[in-house]
Every structure is written in C-alpha cells, then in structure tokens.
Amino acid sequence: MIPVNSVLLVGHFPEIMQAEVDRRLTPIHHPDPQAPAPAGNFQAILIRSNTKLPEALVKQIPSIRMVATCGVGYDNLPLAYLQERGIKASNTPGVLNDAVCELAIGMMLALLRRIPEAQEYVKSTAWSKAPFRVTTTLAGKKVGIVGMGRIGQDLAKRLEPFKVEIAYSGPNKKSLPYDYYQNVHDLAKTCDILFLACPATPDTDKMITAEVLEALGPAGYLINIARGSVVDEDALLDALQHKKIAGAALDVYENEPNPNAAFLNLDNVLLTPHIGSATSETRIAMTNLAVDNLEAFFKQQTLPSEVNN
Ligand code: NAP
C-alpha cells in the first residue's frame, strides 16, 4: 500500500491519466513545478516526461526517495542530482511502443504522399481546376533508424511489409537483419528516409547537423519522433528552406509547446504536437506502470522499470 499523501504529483496530468492516478493513489497536487514545495513528508514524486522536474524543487523536500516519470524519456529529470542523493527513478518503457510507432508510420506516409495538403486541395475545391501534384512511392526506398532500441526495433518490424530496405545507427550493433552504421552521417548518406528514435542525452544533443542533413540530400526525408534537442533546428530550417532535403515530419521540438515559428510557414513539413504516446490506451498504461513502480518502491521490491544510468 502506498501511504496516503506520501506522493507529490508534479505538473499537469490530463483527465484520463489523473483518473488512473486518483484510482490508485491519494497524492498532493503541485501543478506549478517552479512554485515552492508544499509542506509534507513526501517520499515520492510522480511527474510526466513533458514536465521538467527542477532540482531546486527536489532539494526543498529532503524526505524524497523516489521519482516516477510517465514516459520512456527521462531527460526531464535532474538525474545526476537524484543519483547523488540516492533517489530512485523509474520510467515507462515498452507500453508506448505501439502508439509511437503507429504515429511514426502515419507521419511517414502523410509526408511522402502529402496527405494533409491533398485533403486541403479537395476541401478548397482547387481539384476542380487542376489535378493534385504527383508525389513519391515508399516501396524501394532505404529507411534509416537512429536509435535501434525498443521503439526503433518495433518500427523496423512495422516497416518491413512496406518493401523498404532498413538500416540503423547507434552505439551498439545488434543481432538484427539490418545494415548497421556506427555513424549517423554515414547512415544518412545511404538513406532516403531517416527516423530519429534515440533518447535526448549529451551525446545526441544536436546530433542531426547541417552535414548530416546534407548527407541525407535533396530527395531525403527526416522524421523526428525522439526529442527536439536531437536536431540542430537552425540547420534543419535552412535545409528545408533551401530544399537541401525534401521534407521533414516533426512530433517534437526544441521549444515545446511553442516551436520555432519559421517551421509554420514551410510547405515541406508535417508538424504534430508531441503526440507520440497520446492515445487513451497508452496514457492509461503509462500511468499504471508509473504507479506500479511507486507501489514496488513502497513495498521495498525491485522496481518494474528503474532508470539505472
Ligand atoms: P530505448 O529502448 O532506451 O532505446 C534507445 C535507443 O537509442 C537504444 O537502442 C540506444 O542504443 C540508442 N542510442 C543511445 N544513444 C545513441 C546515440 N548517441 N546515437 C544513436 N542511438 C543512440 O528507448 P525507446 O523506448 O526506444 O525510446 C527512445 C526515445 O524515444 C525516448 O528516449 C524518447 O525520447 C523518445 N520518445 C518520444 C515519444 C514521442 O511522443 N514522440 C514517445 C516515446 C518516446 P544502444 O541500444 O546501442 O544503447
């Protein structure tokens, strides 16, 4: 059992997640993470991966021993500080793979076939004056995945029936039937479509540089379902504005929820508002896995998904 009022719920939780939290916990709400911590002997924090947990907030609560984040990415946590204080952290890997991969596939098809623009073409009656432009076929293309982890591997399996060749890059070569490139530049050079599915870390910060985009080339497409920080956005804007790549589909941005306005005026982008895991089934599963971690912590059991690095 989780002791009543021992969990601090930091930030905003959408209704569907809040309902799950309230079903299993009696937390104290702290909607503004920048506000001073409320009084109380909280032992754990529950937060979402889109909310940054300020180190200063954790410092104000000496009783904290555990932070559970709803999301597989944990770049929102002050991990070095948590580790220094021996505070455990958990995330929610795996349960969001289906939703994220489905969005990624949808973005890819919509980008290549220009589906949003095609719908607008019909709705605006432009079709009555001239046929819509021709686009490009996915079959036969080479698709690169940067970050062949849980999401990357699920994505590759979903891509196989589309008759594409698959390759990947990342720190470690895996026993997978796809070409491996240690270097993202070399992967981009060989690919028509480059998916980003790696975590936000100091190593991946602005990893997609002007040179990588140049290697992807004028017929190449970038699809980012990872984190905005992985891409040098100035370089991407320049590449899109000057047609150095064919297009990009972005679910994540450096500055959320206010992405660089220059993206909004481009006709070779497809933009979604960080909705990779935003299905009701997935959000419920993420919340429950986060609470499972809290429960295990309070029972002094092994956490189902502890963040260890
Ligand atoms: P994961 O299982 O931990 O996989 C991450 C993969 O990235 C691993 O295979 C890792 O390689 C690779 N990697 C690490 N550093 C790298 C680098 N420098 N260059 C290239 N690859 C690198 O995580 P996941 O569950 O697949 O999730 C991946 C990321 O997707 C999350 O961290 C999150 O940021 C993002 N995400 C976004 C959404 C969304 O709403 N858009 C939703 C969920 C997740 P090794 O295996 O060789 O270590």
Side-chain angles (χ1 to χ4, degrees):
M1 278 292 286
I2 298 179
V4 170
N5 294 352
S6 61
V7 176
L8 189 66
L9 194 73
V10 175
H12 171 73
F13 276 60
E15 214 174 302
I16 194 158
M17 298 176 87
Q18 187 66 58
E20 277 314 289
V21 171
D22 291 343
R23 194 173 62 78
R24 296 184 60 186
L25 305 175
T26 315
I28 297 295
H29 291 231
H30 186 58
D32 179 2
Q34 303 300 332
N41 279 331
F42 304 105
Q43 293 169 62
I45 285 173
L46 178 58
I47 193 164
R48 294 182 61 210
S49 64
N50 67 346
T51 306
K52 200 168 169 51
L53 178 62
E55 192 175 304
L57 181 67
V58 188
K59 275 187 178 148
Q60 290 166 41
I61 320 172
S63 49
I64 290 290
R65 289 286 164 266
M66 160 88 191
V67 175
T69 189
C70 284
V72 63
Y74 44 84
D75 43 293
N76 60 322
L77 305 182
L79 214 55
Y81 176 70
L82 299 186
Q83 275 164 353
E84 189 187 306
R85 271 197 42 200
I87 297 171
K88 286 178 184 286
S90 67
N91 64 346
T92 62
V95 293
L96 37 62
N97 293 8
D98 287 338
V100 177
C101 291
E102 286 169 7
L103 181 77
I105 296 287
M107 291 174 89
M108 173 186 66
L109 295 173
L111 180 67
L112 265 64
R113 299 300 299 270
R114 292 184 167 264
I115 294 172
E117 192 182 324
Q119 173 175 256
E120 198 43 47
Y121 205 73
V122 177
K123 285 190 171 177
S124 70
T125 71
W127 188 22
S128 64
K129 295 176 196 84
F132 189 60
R133 59 189 292 176
V134 294
T135 57
T136 189
T137 301
L138 173 61
K141 290 201 167 30
K142 187 155 180 175
V143 181
I145 299 176
V146 180
M148 201 48 130
R150 296 180 192 88
I151 291 173
Q153 290 182 41
D154 264 21
L155 183 58
K157 280 193 215 109
R158 282 172 167 81
L159 283 164
E160 281 176 11
F162 285 106
K163 305 183 196 167
V164 293
E165 211 182 312
I166 298 167
Y168 69 101
S169 71
N172 301 298
K173 187 176 187 317
K174 324 250 174 213
S175 329
L176 292 168
Y178 314 122
D179 289 345
Y180 170 68
Y181 295 81
Q182 200 164 20
N183 182 306
V184 66
H185 184 273
D186 294 344
L187 177 70
K189 206 166 176 176
T190 186
C191 284
D192 305 294
I193 299 165
L194 196 63
F195 277 99
L196 307 182
C198 56
T201 66
D203 281 349
T204 63
D205 195 55
K206 294 196 190 328
M207 180 170 64
I208 304 303
T209 58
E211 291 72 31
V212 172
L213 295 167
E214 198 174 314
L216 189 57
Y221 294 89
L222 179 77
I223 301 174
N224 189 3
I225 48 146
R227 285 287 184 267
S229 65
V230 178
V231 176
D232 178 339
E233 284 193 349
D234 289 339
L236 177 59
L237 277 165
D238 179 67
L240 289 163
Q241 281 156 352
H242 297 100
K243 314 279 187 241
K244 294 176 187 169
I245 64 169
L250 309 173
D251 185 45
V252 286
Y253 310 84
E254 258 175 31
N255 191 22
E256 297 181 8
N258 297 297
N260 189 327
F263 283 117
L264 313 184
N265 301 317
L266 294 170
D267 65 0
N268 50 357
V269 292
L270 178 89
L271 308 174
T272 53
H274 199 153
I275 52 167
S277 67
T279 69
S280 52
E281 297 88 343
T282 304
R283 289 287 164 85
I284 288 171
M286 288 163 70
T287 310
N288 278 304
L289 181 51
V291 177
D292 289 347
N293 274 281
L294 290 173
E295 252 173 29
F297 164 75
F298 281 104
K299 287 182 186 160
Q300 300 186 343
Q301 293 172 348
T302 307
L303 306 191
S305 46
E306 182 167 0
V307 170
N308 279 318
N309 56 341

